[in-house]
Amino acid sequence: MRPEKTIETRRLTLRPFRVSDAADALAAYMQDPEVFRFLLSSPHHSIAETRRLLLGVEKAWRDMKRFNWAMRTHAGELVGSIGVTPEGCRAEIGYVLARKYWNRGYGTEVVRKLAKWSLGQPGIYRVWATCDPAHHASRRVLEKAGFRKEGVLRKWIIRPQLGAAPRDAVCYSMVKEHGRPTNASM
């Protein structure tokens, strides 16, 4: 994969997440327990914690292992983050939105754009994502973005805010056949 430094959607500008975004990220969503409810980590309690995370994000980009973009409105407000992790012929998408931007279509807009971009990369034939079965908003984002539900991965992942036991995950995907994504709505 060759990541784009800047990606535009109708309402958003995506650019690589940087350590200098730490204060904005902490204020927007990184300390919000409701945002972290279905995530794989816990809310942050300090700017130092967010900076450490973003140092890792920058390193992963340089190492070409994961690409995380800060999602900002065209006016510059931080909406959230979206990441793509390539692995062989597939890429996994993950995203998070500040609560202020929930239920406004931003998730669908950006997931659709990044899925299309990912499937346009040479050698990528599958884009996939998982979410908790109880996370109805995230499931809806993936469905509206054109992903198809494949099934449930039983006892797949631990979500710390929901307990110590592994939880199921719903798996969604979009694939490319004959050189084009299978979803005509893209």
Side-chain angles (χ1 to χ4, degrees), residues 2-72:
R2 294 281 174 219
E4 301 282 332
K5 291 286 185 172
T6 303
I7 296 174
E8 299 281 333
T9 71
R10 185 172 60 83
R11 299 178 292 168
L12 299 171
T13 300
L14 283 60
R15 61 130 175 94
F17 236 120
R18 305 187 278 258
V19 172
S20 59
D21 294 316
D24 281 354
L26 187 65
Y29 64 90
M30 293 298 284
Q31 57 191 347
D32 185 341
E34 193 58 29
V35 168
F36 275 79
R37 182 171 179 216
F38 292 106
L39 297 183
L40 305 181
S41 58
S42 298
H44 290 194
H45 300 292
S46 71
I47 191 78
E49 195 174 1
T50 304
R51 282 190 184 116
R52 279 192 302 277
L53 173 80
L54 293 179
L55 277 169
V57 165
E58 285 182 340
K59 182 178 182 336
W61 188 291
R62 282 192 310 274
D63 294 345
M64 306 289 280
K65 294 188 185 268
R66 180 173 175 84
F67 310 108
N68 276 85
W69 290 265
M71 298 185 288
R72 292 190 178 268

Side-chain angles (χ1 to χ4, degrees), residues 137-164:
S138 191
R139 294 177 68 176
R140 188 71 187 124
V141 163
L142 293 167
E143 291 164 0
K144 286 177 17 184
F147 283 69
R148 288 188 184 166
K149 178 182 172 185
E150 291 187 325
V152 176
L153 303 167
R154 297 179 62 219
K155 304 298 180 203
W156 179 255
I157 197 127
I158 295 172
R159 299 189 187 280
Q161 305 310 304
L162 299 175

